[in-house]
Amino acid sequence: MTAGYDPHAFEPFAVTVDLAVFTVRAGALHVLLIRRGQEPYTGAWALPGGFVLPRESAETAARRELAEETGLPEELVAALHLEQLRTYSEPDRDPRMRVVSVAFTALVPDLPEPAAEGGGDAAHARWLAVHDVSELAFDHAVILADARERIGSKLEYTCLATGFCPPEFTLGELQSVYETVWNTSLDRPNFRRKVLATPGFVEAVPGAARLTGGRGKPAALYRPGPATTLHPPLLRPEGSTR
């Protein structure tokens, strides 16, 4: 023990992790939630998460809890790119004791349905459309709102949106991803101009086109370009819902 330092002089508290994991399904933004099977908030929807064990990092705990509570395959969870969102430390955020939570978020394509029965303190897990989510346990509504803002920002300055399109996609399909995450409508000609003017964002597929259901000519197909960040960024329109 370091001389002059008394760890008993400080009140102990617990550290937890919470995860806001999003995907796009059927044209709507979905978040992965668990139904709590234990007190507090038995029966309430909550973000997956739990307590950090003494000999593990916050990120290790986040992946462990996500696998345990949702039943998603461990190898799939291990491969997810989790981004640390922020720390939530209000003194009364958990009725059991003083709990500080490190929150993570991710926007991922093509995750399977979670297991019918969850593990840990989760009764079961499921994907829910964000617009159908009302009350959440603890301060998870605040975390969810912060996480949605973060992923909306990531679409502004990264090429993440192409990961939610087919391998070859139309610009209309790409636009629908932005509209879904940002919860707004975009001007089609303006969106097309900005995308095609951004170096490395998309690449045209030579000679390929797809009928899109309209009366016009088939739409040209594109695939992801080599860029990972957008220069200049593709900014959300003023007044869009965040």
Side-chain angles (χ1 to χ4, degrees):
M1 183 180 298
T2 303
Y5 172 71
D6 179 11
H8 301 291
F10 301 93
E11 181 179 349
F13 61 90
V15 179
T16 61
V17 289
D18 292 301
L19 297 103
V21 181
F22 299 94
T23 195
V24 175
R25 291 185 160 204
L29 185 65
H30 285 62
V31 63
L32 187 59
L33 297 178
I34 59 107
R35 180 83 77 177
R36 286 189 57 80
Q38 299 177 7
E39 291 291 348
Y41 302 104
T42 301
W45 288 110
L47 298 173
F51 289 91
V52 178
L53 300 179
R55 302 301 300 173
E56 67 181 356
S57 68
E59 183 168 335
T60 298
R63 295 184 190 278
R64 174 181 55 78
E65 287 287 346
L66 185 59
E68 288 178 358
E69 293 194 336
T70 66
L72 292 172
E74 290 186 8
E75 62 274 14
L76 186 154
V77 172
L80 289 182
H81 174 69
L82 298 179
E83 180 174 336
Q84 192 171 132
L85 179 62
R86 55 167 289 193
T87 299
Y88 295 82
S89 58
E90 290 300 316
D92 299 320
R93 60 178 303 276
D94 191 311
R96 294 168 292 189
M97 62 180 295
R98 179 74 191 272
V99 174
V100 174
S101 183
V102 181
F104 294 83
T105 188
L107 179 60
V108 293
D110 301 327
L111 278 186
E113 289 291 341
E117 294 185 3
D121 56 4
H124 64 273
R126 63 179 293 192
W127 291 101
L128 285 179
V130 171
H131 58 69
D132 290 334
V133 177
S134 53
E135 295 184 4
L136 294 176
F138 306 102
D139 56 355
H140 290 185
V142 175
I143 299 175
L144 177 60
D146 290 346
R148 185 174 182 183
E149 170 60 25
R150 172 69 63 83
I151 64 151
S153 296
K154 285 185 72 69
L155 290 195
E156 292 184 298
Y157 59 84
T158 76
C159 301
L160 183 63
T162 59
F164 293 84
C165 296
E168 297 181 354
F169 50 87
T170 67
L171 293 185
E173 289 169 332
L174 181 63
Q175 180 175 332
S176 70
V177 174
Y178 279 89
E179 291 179 331
T180 297
V181 175
W182 287 349
N183 192 30
T184 191
S185 296
L186 301 174
D187 178 74
R188 186 174 294 270
N190 191 41
F191 178 82
R192 177 185 177 87
R193 177 182 58 80
K194 289 181 177 180
V195 169
L196 296 181
T198 303
F201 189 7
V202 298
E203 295 178 340
V205 179
R210 179 187 299 152
L211 288 172
T212 57
R215 287 188 162 187
K217 64 180 182 179
L221 293 181
Y222 296 83
R223 57 190 168 217
T228 57
T229 58
L230 300 180
H231 301 287
L234 188 63
L235 299 179
R236 279 173 282 194
E238 291 292 331
S240 63
T241 302
R242 302 194 173 199

